[in-house]
Amino acid sequence: RATVAAIDASGTMQGLGMMVIEVEVRNFKEWYKLYESELDSNSFEQLGVTATFVGEQVRSLGFFSSASTAHIVHVYPSTKEDAVRAAYEAPRDAERKWLDGKIVTGPVRIQSSTLVHKEDTEDLMFVDRMITVTHALANRNPWLDEVAALHLPPSKLLVGVDEHGDDLKGLTVHLFAKSAEKDIKKALDFRHAIDAGLVHPPLESKQSRLLFKKL
C-alpha cells in the first residue's frame, strides 16, 4: 500500500487539523452530563468541528481513591483551530458549565496538530477504547512511513504532526475494540522507530474508555 508520507504529499488530508484535549474533573459523570448538553447543542459543529471523540481516563490515587480525566479529540478545518481552542481556553463563564471550577480540578491541556493521515479498518460501532500517543520526532516523513508499516488490528487511526514551537512532535490516535488492546499497545511502542532514531522517547500514552463518537 502507499506510505503515509506519499498519501500526505498527495494532499488527501490537506487543510485539516486535529486537537487532543484533557480536562481533569472531580466527578466524571457530572462533568459528562454537562458536556453532553454542549455536544447536543451542536456548538462544536458551528465552530467547524467535523469529528469528535470523548473518553474517560481513570487513574488510581491510592487504595480507596481515583481521579478522572476527560479525553477529547476534535478534527476540524485548520483555519478553525483558534476558534476550537478558544472554546476550552475562554473564561469559565456561566455558558460553559462543563468548565466550572467546581467540576474541573486542574488545567485544561490542549495539543493541536496537522492531520496528515487517517485509516478506517473498523466500524465505529465496534470501537469502545481510545488511545493517544505523543512523542518528539527527529524526522517527519520517515516516521510517517513507520506508522504506515504498523501491523494493527482493526481500528480507526488518525495521525497528526505538531509543528508548533521548536520541537517536532508526532501524535497518533487509535479507536479500537477492547479485545484488541494488547495488540494495539504492542504496535504503539514504536520500538523500531526509536531504535532507528526517528522517535525520541519518552512516549506519552493516554488510554480511555470511549463514550462518544461522531463523524
Side-chain angles (χ1 to χ4, degrees):
R1 65 179 180 177
T3 64
V4 179
I7 296 171
D8 178 38
S10 74
T12 303
M13 295 290 99
Q14 187 175 2
L16 290 180
M18 179 170 66
M19 187 176 291
V20 176
I21 305 105
E22 294 179 70
V23 184
E24 294 181 18
V25 297
R26 193 176 308 280
N27 183 302
F28 185 85
K29 287 184 178 180
E30 290 181 8
W31 175 86
Y32 186 66
K33 184 177 181 180
L34 295 171
Y35 190 75
E36 197 170 27
S37 296
E38 189 80 8
L39 293 171
D40 290 342
S41 73
N42 294 321
S43 64
F44 289 112
E45 283 85 350
Q46 292 170 20
L47 295 176
V49 172
T50 58
T52 296
F53 309 106
V54 184
E56 178 189 13
Q57 300 174 34
V58 180
R59 67 184 189 281
S60 175
L61 296 180
F63 192 74
F64 294 107
S65 63
S66 62
S68 292
T69 300
H71 194 197
I72 306 159
V73 174
H74 290 310
V75 176
Y76 48 85
S78 296
T79 55
K80 301 294 185 179
E81 179 181 322
D82 290 344
V84 177
R85 181 182 290 272
Y88 293 89
E89 292 184 335
R92 300 177 183 185
D93 54 32
E95 294 182 4
R96 294 188 174 91
K97 295 180 179 179
W98 46 276
L99 285 178
D100 189 279
K102 295 178 181 178
I103 296 175
V104 175
T105 59
V108 177
R109 294 184 294 274
I110 300 173
Q111 182 177 10
S112 57
S113 64
T114 299
L115 185 65
V116 295
H117 180 60
K118 64 179 181 179
E119 289 184 22
D120 297 288
T121 57
E122 177 66 287
D123 192 299
L124 280 181
M125 181 183 300
F126 301 109
V127 301
D128 56 5
R129 294 292 186 273
M130 176 166 64
I131 189 168
T132 62
V133 181
T134 308
H135 48 74
L137 293 177
N139 194 301
R140 183 178 188 267
N141 283 355
W143 170 73
L144 293 174
D145 289 339
E146 286 283 329
V147 175
L150 291 175
H151 297 291
L152 293 169
S155 63
K156 180 175 181 64
L157 166 66
L158 301 169
V159 182
V161 175
D162 178 2
E163 298 179 283
H164 298 81
D166 297 329
D167 296 325
L168 188 66
K169 293 181 178 179
L171 176 61
T172 56
V173 176
H174 291 262
L175 311 177
F176 57 95
K178 188 177 186 299
S179 58
E181 181 176 337
K182 183 178 179 181
D183 291 333
I184 288 284
K185 284 186 174 181
K186 183 178 180 181
L188 293 182
D189 66 9
F190 288 114
R191 187 164 302 170
H192 184 268
I194 291 173
D195 292 342
L198 301 175
V199 166
H200 299 317
L203 275 63
E204 185 177 358
S205 179
K206 303 289 180 66
Q207 183 175 330
S208 59
R209 180 172 59 96
L210 191 60
L211 300 172
F212 179 88
K213 45 200 175 185
K214 185 175 183 179
L215 284 173

